[in-house]
Amino acid sequence: MRGALDGIRIIDVSRVLAGPFCSMILGDLGAEVIKIEHHETGDETRGWGPPFVNGESAYYLCANRNKRSLTLNLKSKQGKEIFHRLVSSGDIVVQNFKTGTLEKLDLGYQQLKATNPQLIMASITGFGLTGPYKGLPGYDYIIQALSGLMSITGEADGGPMKVGIAIADVLAGLYTCIGILTALHHREKTGEGQEIDISLMDCQVSSLVNVAGNFLCSGINPKRIGNRHPNIVPYQVFVAKDGEFVVAVGNDSQFRRFTAVLGKPELAEMEKFTHNDGRLRNQSELIPVIKELMKEKTKKEWKNLLDSAGIPNGPINTIAEMFEDPQIKERNMLVKMEHPKVENLKLVGSPLKLSGTPVTMRYPPPLFGEHTESILSGLGYSSEEIIQFKQNKVI
């Protein structure tokens, strides 16, 4: 079955996570993705481990399926010529070099546009193509700090904490996908390509949504509140008889049902707790009562009761427990692929469920340079030229 992006060729010169995550999503949707790697070292994440499985790092494997790997020395004259030939037959370039790097190699958007006027280039950098920080390297950890995210993450009486994943990279990858799909739609109507300027910093600031909104409306700097919600009560972690459990009561109707499940319906009748604004003001009185009641049953017992009452809830799963969850299995969020070196390769599935053009898992994450010769042959290079490229360290 053809994917929604079948016929779209992406030349991916990005490394690490944000760019590869973006191009993998587009590859899942049917696009052809050619992953260009440094001819000697490849994508840095190939060495990010342990864990490794038969020499392949788990970090690299997580973001590089549905791609073919071409090694290329972009500093060499012949390497640049090969890249231009690829661009002439391509639709999109995804890159995350520091601002100005490709321009110094004569491979920037304006230079490539001369080769392919309809080209779309998505440039992912730490701080964007403009501004006083444009030349600085941008790593997820630094972005989490500068964006304010760490200042609101963690317990109230503890220090600032980073999120447990490279969230700035993930968000940038998703925003880049949105930008690329938008640019493709625009090109379909006008025939015009364009450059997309994506900054990890911008994406992380955008993700602050209601927390930033609260500050902009009140002028009060948000503080760390741990697992509680700044605007909703009760909306936090409680300790059941056998472990930690989250309850998220989103409105007054849910609170009435929640108190009934707790066996304390009178709480919802008390004026100071009837409405959310009162619960927020008086949470120091309400929460200790709920905490004591939550200790009376197991996580499974609470889940059955709260699910029946329509109260959002759930145990705090480990990653192993999450993958055993029947919902995760039913939704195909764990997929298996054949791989030349990794037996029974398991990867996280795609959350995109399209009825007419479903995602497909066509290629496992490629070995380093696995498709170099076949891609170059497809561009019209002869076997003799490819041998010469190897001898000249072009590939």
Side-chain angles (χ1 to χ4, degrees), residues 81 171 190 222 247 281 364 374:
E81 291 173 352
L171 289 168
T190 67
V247 177
R281 288 195 304 271
S374 62

Side-chain angles (χ1 to χ4, degrees), residues 268-335:
E269 302 303 321
M270 299 173 69
E271 185 176 352
K272 57 186 172 182
F273 300 145
T274 301
H275 300 295
N276 181 70
D277 58 346
R279 296 194 294 275
L280 190 64
R281 288 195 304 271
N282 297 289
Q283 61 183 303
S284 61
E285 182 179 349
L286 174 63
I287 296 304
V289 176
I290 298 175
K291 284 184 175 180
E292 287 303 312
L293 295 169
M294 290 294 295
K295 294 177 182 178
E296 297 176 358
K297 292 180 174 61
T298 66
K299 292 184 290 184
K300 184 175 181 180
E301 289 172 328
W302 280 126
K303 181 153 184 63
N304 290 335
L305 288 168
L306 294 171
D307 283 350
S308 297
I311 308 299
N313 72 93
I316 298 178
N317 285 333
T318 64
I319 303 300
E321 289 169 333
M322 176 274 292
F323 277 121
E324 290 300 317
D325 191 294
Q327 181 71 15
I328 297 301
K329 292 180 178 180
E330 176 68 24
R331 297 287 290 175
N332 295 318
M333 288 308 296
L334 172 62
V335 297

Side-chain angles (χ1 to χ4, degrees), residues 11-306:
I11 299 122
D12 182 9
V13 284
S14 68
R15 304 97 58 221
V16 189
L17 186 56
F21 184 62
C22 165
S23 61
M24 181 181 73
I25 294 170
L26 300 173
D28 287 351
L29 292 170
E32 176 193 6
V33 181
I34 297 175
K35 180 179 180 68
I36 295 183
E37 302 189 64
H38 189 279
H39 64 297
E40 293 176 336
T41 58
D43 189 318
E44 291 96 312
T45 61
R46 288 186 180 276
W48 286 13
F52 293 97
V53 186
N54 290 335
E56 299 294 301
S57 81
Y59 201 116
Y60 166 78
L61 293 170
C62 82
N64 285 287
R65 67 170 173 251
N66 282 332
K67 304 176 187 182
R68 295 186 295 153
S69 172
L70 163 68
T71 60
L72 197 59
N73 180 358
L74 292 176
K75 292 183 178 180
S76 69
K77 180 180 178 181
Q78 289 177 315
K80 293 175 184 179
E81 291 173 352
I82 293 170
F83 190 75
H84 273 277
R85 189 177 294 193
L86 266 175
V87 167
S88 68
S89 65
D91 299 281
I92 299 153
V93 170
V94 178
Q95 67 95 6
N96 62 352
F97 290 99
K98 282 177 59 177
T99 300
T101 299
L102 286 185
E103 283 75 11
K104 291 177 183 177
L105 295 173
D106 293 324
L107 297 174
Y109 174 64
Q110 293 301 326
Q111 292 105 325
L112 297 178
K113 184 179 177 181
T115 297
N116 182 351
Q118 292 189 317
L119 179 70
I120 295 167
M121 175 180 274
S123 298
I124 307 171
T125 57
F127 300 99
L129 303 182
T130 60
Y133 297 170
K134 67 180 182 180
L136 297 178
Y139 285 78
D140 173 89
Y141 201 170
I142 306 305
I143 299 300
Q144 289 198 40
L146 285 171
S147 67
L149 178 63
M150 288 179 64
S151 76
I152 61 169
T153 305
E155 295 294 339
D157 56 355
M161 294 289 292
K162 73 179 185 69
V163 177
I165 61 168
I167 189 65
D169 283 271
V170 172
L171 289 168
L174 293 172
Y175 272 111
T176 305
C177 278
I178 295 170
I180 286 171
L181 296 175
T182 302
L184 280 171
H185 181 66
H186 174 76
R187 192 182 73 174
E188 182 69 22
K189 294 190 297 182
T190 67
E192 300 173 352
Q194 60 183 299
E195 184 173 23
I196 303 163
D197 174 7
I198 298 291
S199 152
L200 268 68
M201 184 72 161
D202 294 349
C203 294
Q204 191 63 76
V205 170
S206 173
S207 78
L208 296 176
V209 287
N210 62 298
V211 175
N214 289 349
F215 167 74
L216 293 173
C217 289
S218 69
I220 300 172
N221 214 21
K223 292 180 169 49
R224 290 184 293 280
I225 57 174
N227 288 312
R228 293 186 290 111
H229 194 285
N231 305 105
I232 307 172
V233 173
Y235 201 103
Q236 65 183 77
V237 174
F238 294 99
V239 179
K241 186 181 290 186
D242 60 344
E244 294 175 311
F245 197 87
V246 170
V247 177
V249 175
N251 56 52
D252 296 337
S253 175
Q254 288 182 3
F255 183 66
R256 288 192 295 273
R257 300 198 301 274
F258 180 50
T259 57
V261 171
L262 290 174
K264 290 285 185 178
E266 62 270 21
L267 288 173
E269 302 303 321
M270 299 173 69
E271 185 176 352
K272 57 186 172 182
F273 300 145
T274 301
H275 300 295
N276 181 70
D277 58 346
R279 296 194 294 275
L280 190 64
R281 288 195 304 271
N282 297 289
Q283 61 183 303
S284 61
E285 182 179 349
L286 174 63
I287 296 304
V289 176
I290 298 175
K291 284 184 175 180
E292 287 303 312
L293 295 169
M294 290 294 295
K295 294 177 182 178
E296 297 176 358
K297 292 180 174 61
T298 66
K299 292 184 290 184
K300 184 175 181 180
E301 289 172 328
W302 280 126
K303 181 153 184 63
N304 290 335
L305 288 168
L306 294 171

